[in-house]
Amino acid sequence: HGPGHDYKHPGSVEDIAWSPVEAHVFATACTDGNLRIWDARDATKPKITIKAHDDHINVIAWCSVRSQEHLLATGCEDGSFKVFDLRQIKQKPSPPPPSSSSSSLSSDKQ
């Protein structure tokens, strides 16, 4: 890919952190309270979106300890912080289109 890929966020991006073990993976923190995990090879949308906080996420950091690189910490405007084990994150399926007649979707917790 050439330089200057455009990645879209609904609000201000407060922090960006590259994975310490996966060369194409990075995370972004946004004022909408969502933590997003991206693959730089596919800029169309984040691979994972986690509603991490109810307020702005100001900072994120990957754990750099060998064998613990799956941990990602977020710091919030309200003074709280969280540590996520990315091995445990399960993306919820996208909701069906409004015209669909399918029954309720799985309610996996994040």
Side-chain angles (χ1 to χ4, degrees):
H1 293 291
H5 293 293
D6 286 330
Y7 299 91
K8 301 294 182 190
H9 260 272
S12 173
V13 176
E14 299 292 306
D15 199 7
I16 298 174
W18 285 97
S19 166
V21 293
E22 297 187 52
H24 299 286
V25 176
F26 64 97
T28 57
C30 187
T31 56
D32 67 358
N34 285 312
L35 168 65
R36 292 175 175 85
I37 310 296
W38 302 79
D39 184 328
R41 297 167 294 189
D42 178 9
T44 58
K45 63 182 179 179
K47 297 300 177 195
I48 299 172
T49 300
I50 303 165
K51 181 64 176 171
H53 296 274
D54 292 329
D55 206 346
H56 300 186
I57 301 173
N58 299 110
V59 64
I60 53 177
W62 291 91
C63 181
S64 60
V65 175
R66 189 174 191 86
S67 80
Q68 299 298 311
E69 301 95 345
H70 54 272
L71 299 176
L72 184 62
T74 59
C76 183
E77 183 82 13
D78 65 10
S80 67
F81 66 92
K82 294 182 181 180
V83 176
F84 294 91
D85 182 338
L86 297 179
R87 298 172 306 178
Q88 304 300 316
I89 302 301
K90 294 182 181 132
Q91 277 297 89
K92 293 181 182 176
S94 298
S99 61
S100 174
S101 61
S102 75
S103 60
S104 65
L105 297 173
S106 164
S107 60
D108 289 342
K109 300 270 182 195
Q110 290 184 356

